[in-house]
Amino acid sequence: MITAATPGVATLLIELGGILVALAALGRVAARFGIPSIPLYLVAGLAVGEGGVVELLTARAFIENGAQIGVILLLLLLGLEYTGEELTTALREQAPAGAVDLVLNATPGIALGLVLGWDYRAALLLGGVTYISSSGIIAKLLADLRRTGNRETPVVLAILVTEDLVMAFYLPLMAGLLIGGDALDIGVEVGLAVAAVLLTLIVAIRYGPRLSRVVFDRSDENLLLSLLGLALLVAGIAERLQASAAVGAFLVGIALSGPTERAARTVLAPLRDLFAALFFAFFGLQIDPVQLPAALPLAVGLAVVSAATKLATGWWSAKRAGIERPGRIRAGATLVARGEFSIVIAGIAVAEGIEAELGPLAAAYVLLLAVTGPLLARSADPIGRRFGRTRRKVAA
Amino acid sequence: MTDLIETRLPGVGTVHVFDCDNGTRVGVIAHHSGRRELVIYDRDDLDCVSDSAMLTPGEARMLADLLGGTTVTEKLDDLRQNIAGLAIDWLPIPAHSAFAGRTIGETELRHRTGVSIVAIVRDDRPIPAPGPNDELRSGDTAVLVGTAEGIDLATALLTRHSL
């Protein structure tokens, strides 16, 4: 029976429609200026959250649930980008670069957290925020700047792959640490979570093709329902086992391969765009914009230092791969952008209410680097030509 | 033969790169999506792509034909010019045909329609360039060459019940 819409439903639809229209408008602005849309979605969230311009009344609960699905879809699609074989190959060939990346870039965040006298878990989360580059922004940059074929690009991509793998262990580790308890409890919790991820990863790589055949269906509709259902189920089970829903979804993405993988990317990408936008907005929504100015100086400092460490990471890794100076600068500058996964990690801290300062700091930090990272990557070519001139001269 | 270097691009595909004799570095990126990207590297910075062209699978095949199959393409062009205005058809000889069991000469096909039978396919084996004394049998496929109108006439003739 169709009843007259209750006022609650009307408000929900108007608020939801309003925020989607606002996000769409901001997305256009972002495209116009050639910057990623993530920071603008954050700003939109700030505007409609606590202490914002208008405060959402009924849509908040929906956006919160949507945000959780957004994280799952972000990680599922990330997993779909890579096959198990690509993961293991990248890890084998670029393990040293991955290690340098981890040490150089997690350190600024952890150090700042400790200096501020935070709980060690909050410091570790801030380390995660500064460590992980934005695969989404960087993939788009490489395509836009036509650098896919560049010889430093395999190095950049391999570093991103190692980061994603590290995150598959980092997220359950943090989940274990955040449950708390004595050292033994934490040790067991973390050990179990890491073992579960490792086991799932091996199973995913080995039995992925079989799973892919079972899931595959010629109908987009059936495929969409099977994939989304499977990802949500695995994510939910992982969350129940304290091993992080996002990682469950990531592993499902890794397991899928072949025609299923390609079809999955096509049917899921629009859904990911919708829910990920809600996720970024929701993160902004939880933060009181009044706190941002106070967090800004620290965020700028952290951004400068961790941009420098990413530049160093790219330089070192590209040099190791035999790339000349301009290419080393490009590799480093490309890696500077932070985005969706920094927010995923900061979102854990906000959800846990572990350190009130972390949310605004991370928001300001991501705003800064999601905008300046791509600008830096763009300007790497002129910078490289000026300062990185190779000694090789063109014969007259 | 020049060295071809293959590099995996996780999440993107594979890139093959080689250096030409004249110093230009050329690469082809095979994207997971099935697209092929042709890239030319900067002469001053051989790590950097200076220009690229994204090709659909069809465009990539065409380019491959143009580069690798030049002689084939020329011959195809020749053939096309020769057969402009000509029609080719494959005609199965039905059992009821009045000409089943008669020779090609008896059909007076060329005289009546201007069409030639250039080959007969019998039991999946071709009989090329059959002579006037060669027999048409039911179940044969006759390969006809002539004008489009001629072929229509020939088809009517060879499939009719009485002489």
Side-chain angles (χ1 to χ4, degrees):
Chain A
M1 193 177 89
I2 301 167
T3 53
T6 59
V9 173
T11 320
L12 174 71
L13 293 179
I14 290 169
E15 287 187 352
L16 212 52
I19 193 154
L20 289 181
V21 168
L23 292 178
L26 289 169
R28 279 160 204 245
V29 171
R32 177 81 183 72
F33 291 99
I35 56 172
S37 44
I38 296 172
L40 293 186
Y41 293 162
L42 266 185
V43 171
L46 284 168
V48 294
E50 268 170 66
V53 188
V54 277
E55 206 173 326
L56 293 183
L57 301 168
T58 52
R60 192 185 163 109
F62 181 88
I63 294 176
E64 179 165 8
N65 291 333
Q68 268 142 11
I69 295 174
V71 176
I72 287 165
L73 285 172
L74 270 172
L75 270 287
L76 175 65
L77 269 288
L78 180 72
L80 284 174
E81 289 285 307
Y82 312 122
T83 60
E85 189 213 339
E86 283 178 335
L87 280 186
T88 42
T89 314
L91 200 62
R92 225 185 359 259
E93 287 167 6
Q94 298 295 339
V100 166
D101 180 41
L102 176 61
V103 171
L104 281 183
N105 296 291
T107 307
I110 296 174
L112 180 65
L114 293 178
V115 167
L116 291 173
W118 289 359
D119 181 292
Y120 77 98
R121 292 169 300 188
L124 277 179
L125 285 172
L126 191 60
V129 171
T130 56
Y131 162 60
I132 195 146
S133 294
S134 165
S135 306
I137 295 178
I138 292 171
K140 187 156 188 317
L141 269 177
L142 289 173
D144 286 354
L145 298 177
R146 296 185 160 200
R147 290 196 187 148
T148 314
N150 278 19
R151 308 240 301 141
E152 75 276 4
T153 297
V155 178
V156 171
L157 292 174
I159 287 177
L160 294 181
V161 173
T162 57
E163 287 184 357
D164 300 334
L165 258 187
V166 166
M167 194 161 64
F169 291 96
Y170 170 86
L171 290 178
L173 177 100
M174 289 316 299
L177 289 177
L178 286 165
I179 294 166
D182 58 35
L184 187 69
D185 280 351
I186 292 176
V188 171
E189 196 65 62
V190 167
L192 279 177
V194 169
V197 171
L198 208 56
L199 191 73
T200 319
L201 199 56
I202 293 168
V203 171
I205 291 173
R206 176 157 305 176
Y207 296 103
R210 197 170 298 173
L211 175 74
S212 307
R213 275 196 297 277
V214 173
V215 172
F216 187 73
D217 196 291
R218 285 192 188 286
S219 144
D220 279 355
E221 187 182 346
N222 294 343
L223 189 66
L224 174 67
L225 293 177
S226 341
L227 287 166
L228 194 61
L230 182 68
L232 291 181
L233 261 178
V234 173
I237 293 168
E239 188 72 18
R240 179 60 57 82
L241 298 175
Q242 315 284 5
S244 158
V247 170
F250 177 68
L251 294 174
V252 170
I254 295 290
L256 295 174
S257 59
T260 314
E261 181 183 22
R262 281 188 289 278
R265 260 188 292 202
T266 323
V267 298
L268 289 173
L271 212 56
R272 187 257 331 254
D273 293 342
L274 167 64
F275 285 104
L278 288 183
F279 166 69
F280 300 129
F282 180 68
F283 180 75
L285 199 143
Q286 292 167 288
I287 286 157
D288 189 347
V290 175
Q291 295 176 309
L292 278 186
L296 199 57
L298 271 183
V300 170
L302 193 60
V304 170
V305 172
S306 64
T309 52
K310 276 289 177 193
L311 279 167
T313 305
W315 178 281
W316 187 86
S317 311
K319 185 178 179 191
R320 189 174 156 271
I323 310 290
E324 299 290 340
R325 276 191 248 171
R328 295 175 210 167
I329 294 173
R330 280 194 301 270
T334 306
L335 284 167
V336 167
R338 312 295 208 281
E340 65 277 27
F341 300 116
S342 296
I343 299 177
V344 169
I345 293 167
I348 299 173
V350 173
E352 293 282 332
I354 184 171
E355 188 67 61
E357 262 182 282
L358 200 156
L361 176 59
Y365 174 81
V366 171
L367 282 178
L368 285 169
L369 284 187
V371 176
T372 54
L375 295 179
L376 206 58
R378 258 169 234 277
S379 57
D381 274 325
I383 293 173
R385 267 196 290 280
R386 182 167 240 187
F387 300 105
R389 194 168 274 294
T390 43
R391 275 139 295 164
R392 189 178 343 108
K393 280 276 171 223
V394 196
Chain B
M1 190 66 194
T2 39
D3 283 342
L4 189 62
I5 300 165
E6 177 185 339
T7 315
R8 299 291 297 270
L9 299 168
V12 178
T14 316
V15 59
H16 286 92
V17 172
F18 64 93
D19 291 325
C20 302
D21 275 347
N22 73 358
T24 313
R25 182 171 283 179
V26 179
V28 173
I29 307 170
H31 290 261
H32 285 324
S33 61
R35 288 185 160 228
R36 295 286 182 274
E37 194 176 350
L38 181 68
V39 293
I40 307 286
Y41 289 83
D42 191 335
R43 278 174 166 269
D44 295 336
D45 176 2
L46 285 174
D47 298 324
C48 184
V49 169
S50 67
D51 213 340
S52 71
M54 187 65 99
L55 307 171
T56 63
E59 290 160 352
R61 263 197 302 281
M62 185 173 70
L63 186 63
D65 275 352
L66 289 173
L67 293 173
T70 25
T71 49
V72 175
T73 338
E74 279 164 14
K75 279 181 185 153
L76 271 177
D77 270 352
D78 264 352
L79 197 62
R80 199 160 297 155
Q81 276 165 18
N82 281 339
I83 63 176
L86 279 188
I88 302 180
D89 207 354
W90 279 258
L91 178 73
I93 305 296
H96 63 71
S97 166
F99 291 104
R102 294 180 186 268
T103 62
I104 291 175
E106 286 179 80
T107 64
E108 296 181 330
L109 195 67
R110 194 173 306 173
H111 171 68
R112 293 188 192 180
T113 66
V115 168
S116 301
I117 297 180
V118 294
I120 296 171
V121 182
R122 183 172 297 158
D123 302 323
D124 289 328
R125 272 191 302 274
I127 302 166
N133 296 324
D134 279 308
E135 205 183 5
L136 287 174
R137 296 181 192 168
S138 97
D140 281 356
T141 300
V143 182
L144 310 177
V145 171
T147 60
E149 300 86 334
I151 292 221
D152 286 342
L153 287 172
T155 306
L157 184 73
L158 290 177
T159 52
R160 74 185 190 195
H161 294 253
S162 56
L163 288 176

